[in-house]
PDB file of all heavy atoms in Angstrom:
ATOM      1  N   VAL H 162      17.939   2.403 -93.577  1.00 93.00           N
ATOM      2  CA  VAL H 162      17.592   3.557 -92.744  1.00 93.00           C
ATOM      3  C   VAL H 162      16.260   4.143 -93.191  1.00 93.00           C
ATOM      4  O   VAL H 162      15.386   4.454 -92.364  1.00 93.00           O
ATOM      5  CB  VAL H 162      18.709   4.621 -92.817  1.00 93.00           C
ATOM      6  CG1 VAL H 162      18.242   5.937 -92.201  1.00 93.00           C
ATOM      7  CG2 VAL H 162      19.957   4.131 -92.111  1.00 93.00           C
ATOM      8  N   LEU H 163      16.091   4.294 -94.511  1.00 93.00           N
ATOM      9  CA  LEU H 163      14.835   4.819 -95.039  1.00 93.00           C
ATOM     10  C   LEU H 163      13.668   3.909 -94.687  1.00 93.00           C
ATOM     11  O   LEU H 163      12.570   4.389 -94.363  1.00 93.00           O
ATOM     12  CB  LEU H 163      14.940   4.980 -96.554  1.00 93.00           C
ATOM     13  CG  LEU H 163      13.709   5.542 -97.269  1.00 93.00           C
ATOM     14  CD1 LEU H 163      13.387   6.939 -96.762  1.00 93.00           C
ATOM     15  CD2 LEU H 163      13.924   5.554 -98.783  1.00 93.00           C
ATOM     16  N   SER H 164      13.891   2.611 -94.703  1.00 93.00           N
ATOM     17  CA  SER H 164      12.837   1.657 -94.344  1.00 93.00           C
ATOM     18  C   SER H 164      12.373   1.881 -92.907  1.00 93.00           C
ATOM     19  O   SER H 164      11.172   1.895 -92.617  1.00 93.00           O
ATOM     20  CB  SER H 164      13.346   0.230 -94.510  1.00 93.00           C
ATOM     21  OG  SER H 164      13.731  -0.027 -95.851  1.00 93.00           O
ATOM     22  N   GLY H 165      13.313   2.057 -91.999  1.00 94.00           N
ATOM     23  CA  GLY H 165      12.945   2.275 -90.609  1.00 94.00           C
ATOM     24  C   GLY H 165      12.225   3.585 -90.391  1.00 94.00           C
ATOM     25  O   GLY H 165      11.222   3.647 -89.664  1.00 94.00           O
ATOM     26  N   VAL H 166      12.701   4.658 -91.021  1.00 95.00           N
ATOM     27  CA  VAL H 166      12.079   5.967 -90.853  1.00 95.00           C
ATOM     28  C   VAL H 166      10.661   5.969 -91.406  1.00 95.00           C
ATOM     29  O   VAL H 166       9.727   6.502 -90.782  1.00 95.00           O
ATOM     30  CB  VAL H 166      12.928   7.057 -91.529  1.00 95.00           C
ATOM     31  CG1 VAL H 166      12.211   8.401 -91.514  1.00 95.00           C
ATOM     32  CG2 VAL H 166      14.279   7.181 -90.828  1.00 95.00           C
ATOM     33  N   LEU H 167      10.458   5.368 -92.577  1.00 95.00           N
ATOM     34  CA  LEU H 167       9.114   5.315 -93.161  1.00 95.00           C
ATOM     35  C   LEU H 167       8.182   4.452 -92.315  1.00 95.00           C
ATOM     36  O   LEU H 167       6.991   4.762 -92.177  1.00 95.00           O
ATOM     37  CB  LEU H 167       9.181   4.777 -94.589  1.00 95.00           C
ATOM     38  CG  LEU H 167       9.809   5.715 -95.622  1.00 95.00           C
ATOM     39  CD1 LEU H 167       9.852   5.057 -96.993  1.00 95.00           C
ATOM     40  CD2 LEU H 167       9.032   7.027 -95.697  1.00 95.00           C
ATOM     41  N   ALA H 168       8.703   3.386 -91.746  1.00 95.00           N
ATOM     42  CA  ALA H 168       7.875   2.535 -90.876  1.00 95.00           C
ATOM     43  C   ALA H 168       7.403   3.330 -89.658  1.00 95.00           C
ATOM     44  O   ALA H 168       6.230   3.247 -89.268  1.00 95.00           O
ATOM     45  CB  ALA H 168       8.669   1.310 -90.436  1.00 95.00           C
ATOM     46  N   ALA H 169       8.293   4.122 -89.059  1.00 95.00           N
ATOM     47  CA  ALA H 169       7.902   4.944 -87.913  1.00 95.00           C
ATOM     48  C   ALA H 169       6.885   6.001 -88.318  1.00 95.00           C
ATOM     49  O   ALA H 169       5.952   6.310 -87.564  1.00 95.00           O
ATOM     50  CB  ALA H 169       9.137   5.602 -87.294  1.00 95.00           C
ATOM     51  N   ALA H 170       7.047   6.571 -89.526  1.00 95.00           N
ATOM     52  CA  ALA H 170       6.088   7.569 -90.006  1.00 95.00           C
ATOM     53  C   ALA H 170       4.702   6.956 -90.173  1.00 95.00           C
ATOM     54  O   ALA H 170       3.683   7.587 -89.872  1.00 95.00           O
ATOM     55  CB  ALA H 170       6.570   8.159 -91.331  1.00 95.00           C
ATOM     56  N   VAL H 171       4.656   5.708 -90.634  1.00 96.00           N
ATOM     57  CA  VAL H 171       3.372   5.018 -90.776  1.00 96.00           C
ATOM     58  C   VAL H 171       2.757   4.767 -89.401  1.00 96.00           C
ATOM     59  O   VAL H 171       1.539   4.905 -89.216  1.00 96.00           O
ATOM     60  CB  VAL H 171       3.558   3.701 -91.554  1.00 96.00           C
ATOM     61  CG1 VAL H 171       2.299   2.838 -91.479  1.00 96.00           C
ATOM     62  CG2 VAL H 171       3.895   3.996 -93.007  1.00 96.00           C
ATOM     63  N   VAL H 172       3.577   4.402 -88.428  1.00 95.00           N
ATOM     64  CA  VAL H 172       3.070   4.190 -87.062  1.00 95.00           C
ATOM     65  C   VAL H 172       2.366   5.453 -86.566  1.00 95.00           C
ATOM     66  O   VAL H 172       1.234   5.408 -86.071  1.00 95.00           O
ATOM     67  CB  VAL H 172       4.224   3.820 -86.103  1.00 95.00           C
ATOM     68  CG1 VAL H 172       3.717   3.804 -84.662  1.00 95.00           C
ATOM     69  CG2 VAL H 172       4.798   2.460 -86.461  1.00 95.00           C
ATOM     70  N   ALA H 233      14.214   4.930 -85.242  1.00 94.00           N
ATOM     71  CA  ALA H 233      13.683   4.238 -86.418  1.00 94.00           C
ATOM     72  C   ALA H 233      14.802   3.829 -87.369  1.00 94.00           C
ATOM     73  O   ALA H 233      14.757   2.747 -87.975  1.00 94.00           O
ATOM     74  CB  ALA H 233      12.675   5.128 -87.134  1.00 94.00           C
ATOM     75  N   VAL H 286       5.223  -2.544 -92.715  1.00 94.00           N
ATOM     76  CA  VAL H 286       5.981  -1.743 -93.679  1.00 94.00           C
ATOM     77  C   VAL H 286       7.480  -2.002 -93.540  1.00 94.00           C
ATOM     78  O   VAL H 286       8.199  -2.142 -94.532  1.00 94.00           O
ATOM     79  CB  VAL H 286       5.666  -0.241 -93.476  1.00 94.00           C
ATOM     80  CG1 VAL H 286       6.639   0.632 -94.264  1.00 94.00           C
ATOM     81  CG2 VAL H 286       4.230   0.058 -93.883  1.00 94.00           C
ATOM     82  N   LEU H 290       9.725  -3.442 -96.631  1.00 91.00           N
ATOM     83  CA  LEU H 290      10.767  -2.602 -97.219  1.00 91.00           C
ATOM     84  C   LEU H 290      12.161  -3.194 -97.031  1.00 91.00           C
ATOM     85  O   LEU H 290      12.980  -3.193 -97.963  1.00 91.00           O
ATOM     86  CB  LEU H 290      10.712  -1.204 -96.603  1.00 91.00           C
ATOM     87  CG  LEU H 290       9.543  -0.315 -97.029  1.00 91.00           C
ATOM     88  CD1 LEU H 290       9.602   1.029 -96.319  1.00 91.00           C
ATOM     89  CD2 LEU H 290       9.530  -0.108 -98.529  1.00 91.00           C
ATOM     90  N   LEU H 314       7.651   0.770-103.384  1.00 92.00           N
ATOM     91  CA  LEU H 314       7.166   0.441-102.046  1.00 92.00           C
ATOM     92  C   LEU H 314       7.424   1.588-101.075  1.00 92.00           C
ATOM     93  O   LEU H 314       6.560   1.916-100.240  1.00 92.00           O
ATOM     94  CB  LEU H 314       7.853  -0.832-101.542  1.00 92.00           C
ATOM     95  CG  LEU H 314       7.471  -2.130-102.265  1.00 92.00           C
ATOM     96  CD1 LEU H 314       8.352  -3.283-101.779  1.00 92.00           C
ATOM     97  CD2 LEU H 314       6.000  -2.466-102.046  1.00 92.00           C
ATOM     98  N   ALA H 315       8.598   2.222-101.171  1.00 92.00           N
ATOM     99  CA  ALA H 315       8.910   3.342-100.283  1.00 92.00           C
ATOM    100  C   ALA H 315       7.986   4.527-100.555  1.00 92.00           C
ATOM    101  O   ALA H 315       7.521   5.194 -99.623  1.00 92.00           O
ATOM    102  CB  ALA H 315      10.372   3.759-100.464  1.00 92.00           C
ATOM    103  N   THR H 316       7.707   4.781-101.840  1.00 93.00           N
ATOM    104  CA  THR H 316       6.789   5.865-102.191  1.00 93.00           C
ATOM    105  C   THR H 316       5.384   5.584-101.668  1.00 93.00           C
ATOM    106  O   THR H 316       4.696   6.483-101.171  1.00 93.00           O
ATOM    107  CB  THR H 316       6.747   6.057-103.717  1.00 93.00           C
ATOM    108  OG1 THR H 316       8.074   6.330-104.196  1.00 93.00           O
ATOM    109  CG2 THR H 316       5.836   7.212-104.101  1.00 93.00           C
ATOM    110  N   ALA H 318       4.615   3.753 -99.025  1.00 94.00           N
ATOM    111  CA  ALA H 318       4.640   3.937 -97.575  1.00 94.00           C
ATOM    112  C   ALA H 318       4.601   5.416 -97.212  1.00 94.00           C
ATOM    113  O   ALA H 318       3.915   5.822 -96.266  1.00 94.00           O
ATOM    114  CB  ALA H 318       5.889   3.286 -96.983  1.00 94.00           C
ATOM    115  N   THR H 319       5.327   6.240 -97.969  1.00 94.00           N
ATOM    116  CA  THR H 319       5.304   7.687 -97.734  1.00 94.00           C
ATOM    117  C   THR H 319       3.900   8.246 -97.929  1.00 94.00           C
ATOM    118  O   THR H 319       3.424   9.072 -97.134  1.00 94.00           O
ATOM    119  CB  THR H 319       6.286   8.401 -98.684  1.00 94.00           C
ATOM    120  OG1 THR H 319       7.599   7.855 -98.500  1.00 94.00           O
ATOM    121  CG2 THR H 319       6.315   9.890 -98.415  1.00 94.00           C
ATOM    122  N   ALA H 322       1.618   7.268 -94.976  1.00 94.00           N
ATOM    123  CA  ALA H 322       1.890   8.067 -93.777  1.00 94.00           C
ATOM    124  C   ALA H 322       1.364   9.489 -93.927  1.00 94.00           C
ATOM    125  O   ALA H 322       0.712  10.029 -93.019  1.00 94.00           O
ATOM    126  CB  ALA H 322       3.397   8.082 -93.494  1.00 94.00           C
TER     127      ALA H 322
END
Side-chain angles (χ1 to χ4, degrees):
V162 168
L163 181 61
S164 300
V166 173
L167 289 179
V171 169
V172 172
V286 169
L290 287 179
L314 291 173
T316 302
T319 303

